[in-house]
Amino acid sequence: MGLNESILELIRLSATDLSIDVEQAIKQAYQTEEKNTPAYNVFSTIFDNIKMAREQSTPICQDTGSLVFYVDYPQGDSQKKYRQAIECAAKEATGFQYLRPNAVNPITSKNSGNNIGINAPYIHFHEWDDDMVRIRLMLKGGGSENVGAQYKLPHPALKAGRDLAGVRKVIIDAVTNAQGLGCAPGIIGVGIGGGRDTSFTLSKEQFFRKIGERSSVKELAKLEQDLLVDLNKLEIGPMGFGGKTTVLEVFIGSQDRHPATFFVSVSYTCWAFRRKTMTINNGEVKYD
Amino acid sequence: MIKIKTPVSEKEIRSLQVGDTVLLSGVIVTARDAAHKLMVEEKPDFIREFLNESMIYHCGPVVKQDNSGLWKFVSAGPTTSAREEPYQAEVIKEYNVRGVIGKGGMGPLTAQGLKDQGAVYLHAVGGAGTLIANTVKEVINVFKLEEFGTPEAFWVIRIEELPLVVTMDSHGGSLHKKILEKSRNVANRLIAN
């Protein structure tokens, strides 16, 4: 299989085959809801849909999102090669209806029709010491992207200071404001520190962690665990219908900040949490 | 489960209450941002017969066309309805619409529009793209495909037993308002700790 075909398969899997860790988290949430409530019925529909999409090889959700790639490549390799292969695969995937055309020029409002445009797909490149290549893909839905939020601490209205207690408060505020609009139950990615741009970037990178994988930083791991409990007390529930599960997971990352700034960026993804990893090691391609 | 089929009467719609689960069948029309703007600004007649006593679905589908030119829905879950808040009340009145299907609920202008017109807001399961596409049995027509692109075009479709929940009824009830108030109170307590 050539690089183009391998990436096409990465896109197909991302759009149609929900990762097992996410499916299991949804299953657990399903079991906690009372039978015949709107929340229970939502989970039942979600479950059937996951199965149908996998069997039919059709998109789990019609919003197949913005394509965000993360490419880690060995020294001496060519970025251009990967960019060309990604663009070619994205076009083909649109033709096969694995993807909806989602690249719209903001000036003309014209949809390019093939998911190719300015910074679309967006590719993060990183040269690493490893010999293998790793290509990660996130399909980031628009509805959930719209409920993301960035806070600047201190935040007087929430009495949130420049510490982890302040961080906790703004995350609770963001999830409350999101209600069901990001297709709850969601997964929350948080970036603490950095500039406005790198803060959001860090929040999104958290989404490549597996459900249940706690931060290696002790303080953040505790905050993640506490927030998972607190956020589900909001009882916004699936689709915002009310229910026991509002979020499936909280991932928090941190990076150094400028002495004068303290940003907290909260990214939200819907339950249709679509991200996959592909590795190429000595010509052997694997997907996770 | 309450079974409803379009065209649907005002009386039948007025009997629905927040929290009711509905299985919807019949002909409905997808419309999102560009379509709503057009319906308010230019009031086109081509869509009138399909919307009369029927429903609007906020959806930008993934579609495919077979060799004979027939369209098929591949994935077709709801999109966020709030973006149509400035237009919705006017559209349902102008075209005699009995229901709006989407996700996330809508604001006070639409709530008033539903009350005045005798219409409901029905919430589909966001993200259930494949399952909902499987309820679409026929694509009857499409308008403005070239100009608006696939997601934004008017797709006239015949559906069978689309699962929905009434989250805003024709009597001013709104599940979204209730959940927002409740969760905000909890959040305030959590933030104060």
Side-chain angles (χ1 to χ4, degrees):
Chain A
M1 202 160 43
L3 186 59
N4 292 7
E5 289 77 29
S6 308
I7 296 172
L8 176 63
E9 178 62 3
L10 177 69
I11 296 173
R12 188 193 70 82
L13 284 170
S14 302
T16 66
D17 182 8
L18 195 70
S19 296
I20 209 76
D21 62 327
V22 184
E23 192 174 352
Q24 271 169 354
I26 293 171
K27 195 172 177 182
Q28 270 186 5
Y30 185 15
Q31 286 160 351
T32 65
E33 298 293 351
E34 260 173 71
K35 278 197 179 150
N36 298 323
T37 56
Y40 183 86
N41 293 339
V42 167
F43 278 124
S44 162
T45 301
I46 285 176
F47 238 81
D48 290 346
N49 180 61
I50 293 169
K51 198 164 166 273
M52 286 177 184
R54 191 177 285 140
E55 283 170 8
Q56 296 175 207
S57 194
T58 50
I60 300 164
C61 175
Q62 78 295 333
D63 179 8
T64 53
S66 292
L67 282 79
V68 190
F69 283 91
Y70 298 74
V71 180
D72 303 288
Y73 60 97
Q75 198 179 350
D77 214 344
S78 154
Q79 288 191 7
K80 194 174 160 189
K81 175 179 83 184
Y82 294 107
R83 183 177 298 282
Q84 283 174 342
I86 283 169
E87 289 190 358
C88 180
K91 272 186 207 167
E92 278 191 47
T94 314
F96 287 131
Q97 289 93 32
Y98 301 144
L99 297 177
R100 185 178 72 181
N102 269 0
V104 179
N105 181 302
I107 299 162
T108 62
S109 284
K110 190 83 189 154
N111 191 319
S112 75
N114 60 7
N115 278 301
I116 309 298
I118 302 165
N119 275 338
Y122 192 82
I123 311 169
H124 296 268
F125 281 107
H126 171 236
E127 181 185 301
W128 65 0
D129 291 332
D130 217 311
D131 283 338
M132 73 172 184
V133 179
R134 182 177 67 171
I135 303 179
R136 296 178 295 171
L137 168 61
M138 181 192 308
L139 301 179
K140 187 63 182 70
S144 65
E145 191 67 1
N146 276 333
V147 300
Q150 189 170 66
Y151 294 82
K152 184 177 72 175
L153 297 183
H155 192 294
L158 296 171
K159 296 199 175 71
R162 295 183 144 200
D163 50 26
L164 289 185
V167 171
R168 174 183 166 273
K169 289 181 183 183
V170 299
I171 296 169
I172 293 170
D173 187 60
V175 174
T176 308
N177 290 339
Q179 292 290 297
L181 287 168
C183 279
I187 292 95
I188 311 300
V190 180
I192 307 173
R196 287 192 183 272
D197 52 349
T198 53
S199 173
F200 261 129
T201 303
L202 183 67
S203 72
K204 285 232 180 105
E205 275 172 14
Q206 305 308 311
F207 291 141
F208 285 103
R209 280 156 65 179
K210 294 278 186 197
I211 302 254
E213 185 187 329
R214 295 274 64 83
S215 168
S216 56
V217 181
K218 200 179 70 191
E219 293 88 341
L220 296 185
K222 182 173 185 313
L223 186 57
E224 288 171 354
Q225 246 155 354
D226 291 350
L227 275 167
L228 194 53
V229 174
D230 277 348
L231 292 172
N232 283 323
K233 287 181 190 161
L234 295 173
E235 298 203 339
I236 293 167
M239 291 302 125
F241 290 177
K244 295 190 174 68
T245 308
T246 298
V247 299
L248 294 169
E249 183 56 290
V250 184
F251 296 128
I252 307 174
S254 71
Q255 60 194 344
D256 284 6
R257 60 179 177 85
H258 182 279
T261 68
F262 198 130
F263 293 111
V264 182
S265 298
V266 183
S267 286
Y268 193 110
T269 118
C270 50
W271 65 261
F273 176 30
R274 290 153 294 168
R275 81 314 192 210
K276 295 271 177 188
T277 299
M278 161 184 147
T279 52
I280 312 172
N281 201 354
N282 284 325
E284 191 193 357
V285 179
K286 278 189 183 160
Y287 298 97
D288 180 26
Chain B
M1 293 265 182
I2 301 165
K3 291 193 176 181
I4 292 204
K5 190 164 192 279
T6 63
V8 58
S9 69
E10 178 179 353
K11 186 167 170 254
E12 203 174 346
I13 285 297
R14 292 262 184 214
S15 73
L16 294 173
Q17 307 279 342
V18 162
D20 285 347
T21 305
V22 169
L23 285 176
L24 183 70
S25 301
V27 176
I28 62 169
V29 180
T30 74
R32 341 190 338 155
D33 314 286
H36 277 79
K37 190 164 178 281
L38 185 83
M39 285 189 281
V40 165
E41 289 176 358
E42 296 180 24
K43 301 183 174 50
D45 287 328
F46 63 79
I47 205 67
R48 214 169 275 282
E49 61 171 310
F50 301 109
L51 284 179
N52 187 42
E53 308 273 3
S54 182
M55 301 202 184
I56 285 178
Y57 181 22
H58 297 153
C59 168
V62 176
V63 294
K64 73 173 173 196
Q65 198 171 22
D66 68 16
N67 294 334
S68 63
L70 275 179
W71 290 100
K72 194 174 179 306
F73 270 38
V74 176
S75 192
T79 190
T80 306
S81 299
R83 292 194 307 272
E84 316 317 337
E85 176 68 4
Y87 311 111
Q88 201 67 74
E90 211 177 319
V91 166
I92 59 177
K93 183 162 178 275
E94 173 68 28
Y95 289 96
N96 196 33
V97 175
R98 290 284 167 230
V100 176
I101 305 160
K103 76 175 172 86
M106 301 190 75
L109 284 174
T110 304
Q112 188 60 46
L114 297 174
K115 230 169 144 177
D116 295 343
Q117 162 71 8
V120 286
Y121 180 85
L122 296 150
H123 204 297
V125 175
T130 288
L131 182 138
I132 294 174
N134 287 350
T135 72
V136 178
K137 302 302 174 191
E138 187 189 355
V139 176
I140 292 166
N141 212 333
V142 57
F143 297 97
K144 295 280 172 187
L145 179 59
E146 274 301 303
E147 195 178 333
F148 291 170
T150 305
E152 297 280 338
F154 293 87
W155 294 93
V156 182
I157 53 177
R158 187 175 60 78
I159 53 165
E160 250 176 54
E161 305 210 326
L162 170 62
L164 302 164
V165 175
V166 177
T167 58
M168 294 168 73
D169 60 27
S170 62
H171 312 288
S174 167
L175 181 64
H176 306 286
K177 203 165 155 245
K178 195 179 123 197
I179 299 290
L180 176 64
E181 283 164 7
K182 263 178 80 178
S183 59
R184 183 38 79 185
N185 283 336
V186 177
N188 289 345
R189 281 203 303 277
L190 289 169
I191 288 170
N193 273 336

